[in-house]
Amino acid sequence: MLFKAAVKNPATRDPYERRLINFLNTISMTPDEFVENAKMDAVKAEKNIISYVSTENARCEKGEITAATVGNALKAIRLLLEMNDVSLNWRKIRRVLPRARRYALDRIPTNNEIQEIVESADIRGRALTFVFISSGIREGAIEYFKISDYMRIERDGKTVAGRLTVYNGDPERYVTFINPAACDALDKYLEFRREHGEKTSSDSPLFRDKFDPVKGLYGHGKKDSKDVVIPMTAPAVRQYYNRLLFSIGIRNQKKRRHEFSIHGFRKFFKTKAELGGMKPINVETLMGHSIG
C-alpha cells in the first residue's frame, strides 16, 4: 500500500494508520472505496472530511482530545489521498481546524518521583526508566532496539557511558548515550533473562515482553513463547508505566491525558542536559531532532 510506503519510520506509521482507520470507520468506507469516491467526486470527499473534523472539534471543545490530535488525523487522510494522486482543496479544509498549541502541557518528573519510580519498578522497569531519563529517546524506539544496538564504553576499567544506536537500519538512525547507572540496570536485566532460560543473541530484543519465571509463563503465552521472544512495544511501555504510576500514587484518577506522561522522561533529559551546560545543538542531536 502506497500509504504505508510513504511513512518510513515504523514508530510514526502506527499512529498514522490508527488515525486513518478511525476516520474510515466513521464514514464506513475502506481505504480503496474512499480513494475511488474522492477521485469521482472531490467535493463530496471534502464534505466528508470537514464533517469528520467538525465532529472532532466538538470533542476538542469538551476536552476529550487536543487540537493537535485533530490536525494529526487530517495529516493521515491527506497522505492517503496524495499518495493516490487525489487533489482536494486542503486550504479550505484546514480553515475548520482548531488552533493547536505548539507545546505540550505535560511536565517533567521531579527527582523524588524518579527515585520512587526506580525503587518501585521491577528489574525491567528499572532498566527502562534509567534508559529513558539518561538518553532522551522516544518510547516508540524501545520496540526496535536489539542487544547489538547497545554497547558499554569503558575507560581504565570503568564504565563511563553506554552507546545506543536508535532506529538502526533506518534513514532516521542516530546515536545517543546512557549513563553508567543505566548500563548497570540494563546489564542486570539482560543477565536476569539469561538466568531464566532465554538464549539471547545480538539480534534479540533489548527489551522483551514480560514473563513470569516462577510460573514459567512467557510473554505472548503460545507454545513456543519461551523461544520466540517478542519485543516490548510502545503500547506495552505506556501500559507498564500507567500501572506503576497508579500503584505508587503519582496518578490517582483515570483520564486520557496526565500532567506527567512517559514523554516527561524525554523532557527530563533535555532539561537536565541543558542545565548541566550542554550545548543546545548537542542536546537536539542526542534526542534525534533534525538540526538542518
Side-chain angles (χ1 to χ4, degrees):
M1 188 177 180
L2 291 174
F3 176 81
K4 288 186 177 181
V7 187
K8 302 295 190 300
N9 190 335
T12 305
R13 189 182 304 131
D14 177 64
Y16 261 61
E17 289 178 343
R18 285 189 280 106
R19 290 161 187 154
L20 180 61
I21 290 171
N22 183 53
F23 165 70
L24 294 172
N25 287 340
T26 301
I27 62 174
S28 301
M29 289 186 187
T30 65
D32 291 338
E33 288 173 343
F34 176 60
V35 169
E36 287 304 314
N37 287 345
K39 286 181 178 179
M40 292 186 293
D41 191 345
V43 174
K44 185 176 180 180
E46 289 171 2
K47 288 181 178 179
N48 282 336
I49 296 172
I50 291 173
S51 175
Y52 172 75
V53 171
S54 298
T55 302
E56 295 297 281
N57 285 349
R59 293 181 62 201
C60 180
E61 290 174 0
K62 293 178 183 177
E64 296 177 6
I65 58 176
T66 65
T69 300
V70 183
N72 288 334
L74 189 61
K75 291 177 184 177
I77 300 168
R78 181 171 182 173
L79 180 63
L80 173 67
L81 294 178
E82 288 184 345
M83 292 304 295
N84 287 278
D85 301 317
V86 181
S87 298
L88 299 183
N89 188 344
W90 293 106
R91 185 175 181 181
K92 178 176 71 175
I93 295 171
R94 283 199 300 270
R95 286 185 179 276
V96 300
L97 284 174
R99 181 173 295 179
R101 289 191 310 271
R102 294 186 178 272
Y103 56 90
L105 293 179
D106 57 329
R107 63 171 177 83
I108 69 171
T110 65
N111 290 335
N112 287 338
E113 286 172 335
I114 291 289
Q115 183 177 352
E116 195 171 358
I117 289 170
V118 170
E119 290 175 351
S120 303
D122 57 21
I123 192 168
R124 180 182 65 164
R126 196 171 300 116
L128 197 63
T129 302
F130 275 124
V131 167
F132 274 133
I133 64 175
S134 65
S135 67
I137 60 171
R138 300 174 178 86
E139 63 191 77
I142 293 297
E143 183 175 355
Y144 305 99
F145 278 128
K146 296 181 178 180
I147 290 179
S148 58
D149 295 325
Y150 160 61
M151 181 182 69
R152 269 184 179 259
I153 300 174
E154 296 186 351
R155 288 180 183 171
D156 301 325
K158 293 183 179 180
T159 299
V160 293
R163 183 180 187 272
L164 284 180
T165 304
V166 190
Y167 304 129
N168 202 0
D170 192 274
E172 297 183 21
R173 172 189 180 278
Y174 71 96
V175 172
T176 191
F177 300 90
I178 56 177
N179 61 25
C183 291
D184 290 341
L186 193 51
D187 287 344
K188 287 179 181 177
Y189 167 60
L190 294 174
E191 185 59 32
F192 173 81
R193 286 162 52 181
R194 297 185 188 104
E195 288 175 352
H196 290 90
E198 183 181 338
K199 297 178 181 179
T200 60
S201 68
S202 59
D203 289 329
S204 298
L206 188 61
F207 288 94
R208 63 160 292 169
D209 54 345
K210 193 174 183 180
F211 66 94
D212 188 336
V214 177
K215 296 181 179 180
L217 300 176
Y218 287 81
H220 44 95
K222 296 179 181 178
K223 290 182 179 179
D224 58 353
S225 61
K226 186 173 181 179
D227 300 316
V228 180
V229 178
I230 295 178
M232 189 179 193
T233 62
V237 172
R238 289 191 292 270
Q239 185 182 59
Y240 174 79
Y241 279 107
N242 188 49
R243 290 176 175 174
L244 178 62
L245 296 177
F246 266 107
S247 70
I248 60 180
I250 293 179
R251 290 182 182 173
N252 51 31
Q253 57 181 315
K254 293 183 179 180
K255 54 184 180 179
R256 185 177 179 86
R257 295 184 180 276
H258 297 271
E259 63 172 7
F260 164 46
S261 65
I262 303 172
H263 186 67
F265 289 137
R266 190 164 160 84
K267 287 186 170 183
F268 180 90
F269 167 80
K270 179 180 173 67
T271 301
K272 295 297 182 180
E274 291 178 345
L275 289 175
M278 189 179 292
K279 293 181 179 179
I281 191 170
N282 292 335
V283 177
E284 298 301 313
T285 300
L286 291 176
M287 295 181 71
H289 285 158
S290 175
I291 56 174

PDB file of all heavy atoms in Angstrom, residues 158-178:
ATOM      1  N   LYS A 158      36.689   1.189  33.921  1.00  0.00           N
ATOM      2  CA  LYS A 158      35.431   1.661  34.491  1.00  0.00           C
ATOM      3  C   LYS A 158      34.459   2.068  33.383  1.00  0.00           C
ATOM      4  O   LYS A 158      34.873   2.636  32.371  1.00  0.00           O
ATOM      5  CB  LYS A 158      35.676   2.862  35.416  1.00  0.00           C
ATOM      6  CG  LYS A 158      36.460   2.530  36.680  1.00  0.00           C
ATOM      7  CD  LYS A 158      36.584   3.762  37.568  1.00  0.00           C
ATOM      8  CE  LYS A 158      37.345   3.429  38.858  1.00  0.00           C
ATOM      9  NZ  LYS A 158      37.471   4.626  39.726  1.00  0.00           N
ATOM     10  N   THR A 159      33.192   1.784  33.601  1.00  0.00           N
ATOM     11  CA  THR A 159      32.163   2.173  32.635  1.00  0.00           C
ATOM     12  C   THR A 159      31.881   3.669  32.763  1.00  0.00           C
ATOM     13  O   THR A 159      31.576   4.157  33.845  1.00  0.00           O
ATOM     14  CB  THR A 159      30.863   1.387  32.871  1.00  0.00           C
ATOM     15  OG1 THR A 159      31.115  -0.008  32.714  1.00  0.00           O
ATOM     16  CG2 THR A 159      29.784   1.807  31.878  1.00  0.00           C
ATOM     17  N   VAL A 160      32.029   4.378  31.655  1.00  0.00           N
ATOM     18  CA  VAL A 160      31.772   5.823  31.674  1.00  0.00           C
ATOM     19  C   VAL A 160      30.452   6.174  30.986  1.00  0.00           C
ATOM     20  O   VAL A 160      29.891   7.247  31.211  1.00  0.00           O
ATOM     21  CB  VAL A 160      32.928   6.596  30.999  1.00  0.00           C
ATOM     22  CG1 VAL A 160      34.201   6.466  31.820  1.00  0.00           C
ATOM     23  CG2 VAL A 160      33.159   6.120  29.574  1.00  0.00           C
ATOM     24  N   ALA A 161      29.970   5.272  30.144  1.00  0.00           N
ATOM     25  CA  ALA A 161      28.711   5.517  29.434  1.00  0.00           C
ATOM     26  C   ALA A 161      28.322   4.255  28.673  1.00  0.00           C
ATOM     27  O   ALA A 161      29.079   3.281  28.602  1.00  0.00           O
ATOM     28  CB  ALA A 161      28.834   6.690  28.462  1.00  0.00           C
ATOM     29  N   GLY A 162      27.122   4.290  28.107  1.00  0.00           N
ATOM     30  CA  GLY A 162      26.670   3.242  27.207  1.00  0.00           C
ATOM     31  C   GLY A 162      26.249   3.884  25.906  1.00  0.00           C
ATOM     32  O   GLY A 162      25.705   4.993  25.901  1.00  0.00           O
ATOM     33  N   ARG A 163      26.525   3.222  24.799  1.00  0.00           N
ATOM     34  CA  ARG A 163      26.195   3.757  23.478  1.00  0.00           C
ATOM     35  C   ARG A 163      24.953   3.048  22.940  1.00  0.00           C
ATOM     36  O   ARG A 163      24.904   1.826  22.906  1.00  0.00           O
ATOM     37  CB  ARG A 163      27.373   3.542  22.528  1.00  0.00           C
ATOM     38  CG  ARG A 163      27.213   4.120  21.128  1.00  0.00           C
ATOM     39  CD  ARG A 163      28.474   3.808  20.328  1.00  0.00           C
ATOM     40  NE  ARG A 163      28.488   4.461  19.031  1.00  0.00           N
ATOM     41  CZ  ARG A 163      27.969   3.947  17.922  1.00  0.00           C
ATOM     42  NH1 ARG A 163      27.373   2.759  17.956  1.00  0.00           N
ATOM     43  NH2 ARG A 163      28.039   4.594  16.772  1.00  0.00           N
ATOM     44  N   LEU A 164      23.955   3.818  22.522  1.00  0.00           N
ATOM     45  CA  LEU A 164      22.735   3.256  21.948  1.00  0.00           C
ATOM     46  C   LEU A 164      22.566   3.740  20.509  1.00  0.00           C
ATOM     47  O   LEU A 164      22.647   4.941  20.243  1.00  0.00           O
ATOM     48  CB  LEU A 164      21.503   3.688  22.757  1.00  0.00           C
ATOM     49  CG  LEU A 164      21.233   3.020  24.100  1.00  0.00           C
ATOM     50  CD1 LEU A 164      19.963   3.601  24.711  1.00  0.00           C
ATOM     51  CD2 LEU A 164      21.100   1.519  23.952  1.00  0.00           C
ATOM     52  N   THR A 165      22.346   2.802  19.591  1.00  0.00           N
ATOM     53  CA  THR A 165      22.036   3.159  18.212  1.00  0.00           C
ATOM     54  C   THR A 165      20.528   3.082  18.045  1.00  0.00           C
ATOM     55  O   THR A 165      19.939   2.005  18.170  1.00  0.00           O
ATOM     56  CB  THR A 165      22.716   2.208  17.221  1.00  0.00           C
ATOM     57  OG1 THR A 165      24.128   2.202  17.466  1.00  0.00           O
ATOM     58  CG2 THR A 165      22.467   2.660  15.789  1.00  0.00           C
ATOM     59  N   VAL A 166      19.908   4.208  17.806  1.00  0.00           N
ATOM     60  CA  VAL A 166      18.448   4.309  17.742  1.00  0.00           C
ATOM     61  C   VAL A 166      17.976   4.177  16.295  1.00  0.00           C
ATOM     62  O   VAL A 166      18.567   4.774  15.389  1.00  0.00           O
ATOM     63  CB  VAL A 166      17.974   5.655  18.332  1.00  0.00           C
ATOM     64  CG1 VAL A 166      16.458   5.669  18.493  1.00  0.00           C
ATOM     65  CG2 VAL A 166      18.649   5.928  19.677  1.00  0.00           C
ATOM     66  N   TYR A 167      16.920   3.390  16.084  1.00  0.00           N
ATOM     67  CA  TYR A 167      16.372   3.138  14.746  1.00  0.00           C
ATOM     68  C   TYR A 167      17.450   2.638  13.788  1.00  0.00           C
ATOM     69  O   TYR A 167      17.559   3.102  12.656  1.00  0.00           O
ATOM     70  CB  TYR A 167      15.708   4.394  14.167  1.00  0.00           C
ATOM     71  CG  TYR A 167      14.621   4.990  15.020  1.00  0.00           C
ATOM     72  CD1 TYR A 167      14.626   6.346  15.339  1.00  0.00           C
ATOM     73  CD2 TYR A 167      13.583   4.207  15.508  1.00  0.00           C
ATOM     74  CE1 TYR A 167      13.618   6.893  16.131  1.00  0.00           C
ATOM     75  CE2 TYR A 167      12.577   4.749  16.303  1.00  0.00           C
ATOM     76  CZ  TYR A 167      12.606   6.091  16.599  1.00  0.00           C
ATOM     77  OH  TYR A 167      11.610   6.631  17.383  1.00  0.00           O
ATOM     78  N   ASN A 168      18.253   1.694  14.255  1.00  0.00           N
ATOM     79  CA  ASN A 168      19.336   1.158  13.434  1.00  0.00           C
ATOM     80  C   ASN A 168      18.778   0.545  12.146  1.00  0.00           C
ATOM     81  O   ASN A 168      17.796  -0.192  12.174  1.00  0.00           O
ATOM     82  CB  ASN A 168      20.105   0.096  14.216  1.00  0.00           C
ATOM     83  CG  ASN A 168      21.508  -0.100  13.678  1.00  0.00           C
ATOM     84  OD1 ASN A 168      21.922   0.545  12.715  1.00  0.00           O
ATOM     85  ND2 ASN A 168      22.259  -0.987  14.307  1.00  0.00           N
ATOM     86  N   GLY A 169      19.415   0.853  11.019  1.00  0.00           N
ATOM     87  CA  GLY A 169      18.962   0.363   9.733  1.00  0.00           C
ATOM     88  C   GLY A 169      17.926   1.245   9.075  1.00  0.00           C
ATOM     89  O   GLY A 169      17.508   0.991   7.940  1.00  0.00           O
ATOM     90  N   ASP A 170      17.503   2.292   9.755  1.00  0.00           N
ATOM     91  CA  ASP A 170      16.501   3.218   9.243  1.00  0.00           C
ATOM     92  C   ASP A 170      17.196   4.523   8.837  1.00  0.00           C
ATOM     93  O   ASP A 170      18.224   4.896   9.427  1.00  0.00           O
ATOM     94  CB  ASP A 170      15.460   3.497  10.341  1.00  0.00           C
ATOM     95  CG  ASP A 170      14.236   4.211   9.816  1.00  0.00           C
ATOM     96  OD1 ASP A 170      14.247   5.457   9.735  1.00  0.00           O
ATOM     97  OD2 ASP A 170      13.264   3.514   9.484  1.00  0.00           O
ATOM     98  N   PRO A 171      16.678   5.232   7.842  1.00  0.00           N
ATOM     99  CA  PRO A 171      17.283   6.528   7.475  1.00  0.00           C
ATOM    100  C   PRO A 171      17.350   7.516   8.632  1.00  0.00           C
ATOM    101  O   PRO A 171      18.183   8.428   8.635  1.00  0.00           O
ATOM    102  CB  PRO A 171      16.359   7.037   6.362  1.00  0.00           C
ATOM    103  CG  PRO A 171      15.793   5.806   5.754  1.00  0.00           C
ATOM    104  CD  PRO A 171      15.607   4.857   6.908  1.00  0.00           C
ATOM    105  N   GLU A 172      16.463   7.354   9.632  1.00  0.00           N
ATOM    106  CA  GLU A 172      16.453   8.261  10.775  1.00  0.00           C
ATOM    107  C   GLU A 172      17.367   7.790  11.898  1.00  0.00           C
ATOM    108  O   GLU A 172      17.305   8.294  13.018  1.00  0.00           O
ATOM    109  CB  GLU A 172      15.016   8.409  11.296  1.00  0.00           C
ATOM    110  CG  GLU A 172      14.082   9.044  10.281  1.00  0.00           C
ATOM    111  CD  GLU A 172      12.683   9.256  10.824  1.00  0.00           C
ATOM    112  OE1 GLU A 172      12.533   9.298  12.052  1.00  0.00           O
ATOM    113  OE2 GLU A 172      11.750   9.377  10.020  1.00  0.00           O
ATOM    114  N   ARG A 173      18.238   6.861  11.587  1.00  0.00           N
ATOM    115  CA  ARG A 173      19.174   6.306  12.571  1.00  0.00           C
ATOM    116  C   ARG A 173      20.015   7.405  13.201  1.00  0.00           C
ATOM    117  O   ARG A 173      20.478   8.322  12.529  1.00  0.00           O
ATOM    118  CB  ARG A 173      20.085   5.297  11.870  1.00  0.00           C
ATOM    119  CG  ARG A 173      21.237   4.771  12.715  1.00  0.00           C
ATOM    120  CD  ARG A 173      22.170   3.957  11.825  1.00  0.00           C
ATOM    121  NE  ARG A 173      23.303   3.427  12.559  1.00  0.00           N
ATOM    122  CZ  ARG A 173      24.410   4.103  12.838  1.00  0.00           C
ATOM    123  NH1 ARG A 173      24.527   5.365  12.457  1.00  0.00           N
ATOM    124  NH2 ARG A 173      25.400   3.537  13.504  1.00  0.00           N
ATOM    125  N   TYR A 174      20.223   7.317  14.524  1.00  0.00           N
ATOM    126  CA  TYR A 174      21.128   8.233  15.205  1.00  0.00           C
ATOM    127  C   TYR A 174      21.694   7.544  16.440  1.00  0.00           C
ATOM    128  O   TYR A 174      21.239   6.463  16.831  1.00  0.00           O
ATOM    129  CB  TYR A 174      20.424   9.547  15.579  1.00  0.00           C
ATOM    130  CG  TYR A 174      19.398   9.455  16.686  1.00  0.00           C
ATOM    131  CD1 TYR A 174      19.740   9.756  18.014  1.00  0.00           C
ATOM    132  CD2 TYR A 174      18.077   9.096  16.423  1.00  0.00           C
ATOM    133  CE1 TYR A 174      18.806   9.690  19.033  1.00  0.00           C
ATOM    134  CE2 TYR A 174      17.136   9.040  17.439  1.00  0.00           C
ATOM    135  CZ  TYR A 174      17.500   9.329  18.743  1.00  0.00           C
ATOM    136  OH  TYR A 174      16.570   9.257  19.752  1.00  0.00           O
ATOM    137  N   VAL A 175      22.692   8.155  17.040  1.00  0.00           N
ATOM    138  CA  VAL A 175      23.368   7.573  18.202  1.00  0.00           C
ATOM    139  C   VAL A 175      23.162   8.476  19.407  1.00  0.00           C
ATOM    140  O   VAL A 175      23.254   9.705  19.307  1.00  0.00           O
ATOM    141  CB  VAL A 175      24.877   7.394  17.935  1.00  0.00           C
ATOM    142  CG1 VAL A 175      25.610   6.976  19.212  1.00  0.00           C
ATOM    143  CG2 VAL A 175      25.096   6.353  16.839  1.00  0.00           C
ATOM    144  N   THR A 176      22.868   7.868  20.546  1.00  0.00           N
ATOM    145  CA  THR A 176      22.785   8.607  21.798  1.00  0.00           C
ATOM    146  C   THR A 176      23.484   7.785  22.885  1.00  0.00           C
ATOM    147  O   THR A 176      24.037   6.724  22.591  1.00  0.00           O
ATOM    148  CB  THR A 176      21.313   8.899  22.181  1.00  0.00           C
ATOM    149  OG1 THR A 176      21.283   9.824  23.265  1.00  0.00           O
ATOM    150  CG2 THR A 176      20.574   7.632  22.563  1.00  0.00           C
ATOM    151  N   PHE A 177      23.477   8.277  24.117  1.00  0.00           N
ATOM    152  CA  PHE A 177      24.242   7.620  25.177  1.00  0.00           C
ATOM    153  C   PHE A 177      23.420   7.517  26.457  1.00  0.00           C
ATOM    154  O   PHE A 177      22.477   8.283  26.670  1.00  0.00           O
ATOM    155  CB  PHE A 177      25.540   8.390  25.442  1.00  0.00           C
ATOM    156  CG  PHE A 177      26.429   8.471  24.238  1.00  0.00           C
ATOM    157  CD1 PHE A 177      26.318   9.531  23.346  1.00  0.00           C
ATOM    158  CD2 PHE A 177      27.370   7.481  23.979  1.00  0.00           C
ATOM    159  CE1 PHE A 177      27.118   9.604  22.220  1.00  0.00           C
ATOM    160  CE2 PHE A 177      28.174   7.541  22.858  1.00  0.00           C
ATOM    161  CZ  PHE A 177      28.051   8.605  21.970  1.00  0.00           C
ATOM    162  N   ILE A 178      23.778   6.553  27.297  1.00  0.00           N
ATOM    163  CA  ILE A 178      23.146   6.395  28.606  1.00  0.00           C
ATOM    164  C   ILE A 178      24.234   6.429  29.674  1.00  0.00           C
ATOM    165  O   ILE A 178      25.403   6.186  29.386  1.00  0.00           O
ATOM    166  CB  ILE A 178      22.348   5.080  28.704  1.00  0.00           C
ATOM    167  CG1 ILE A 178      23.244   3.862  28.386  1.00  0.00           C
ATOM    168  CG2 ILE A 178      21.139   5.118  27.771  1.00  0.00           C
ATOM    169  CD1 ILE A 178      22.531   2.526  28.534  1.00  0.00           C
TER     170      ILE A 178
END
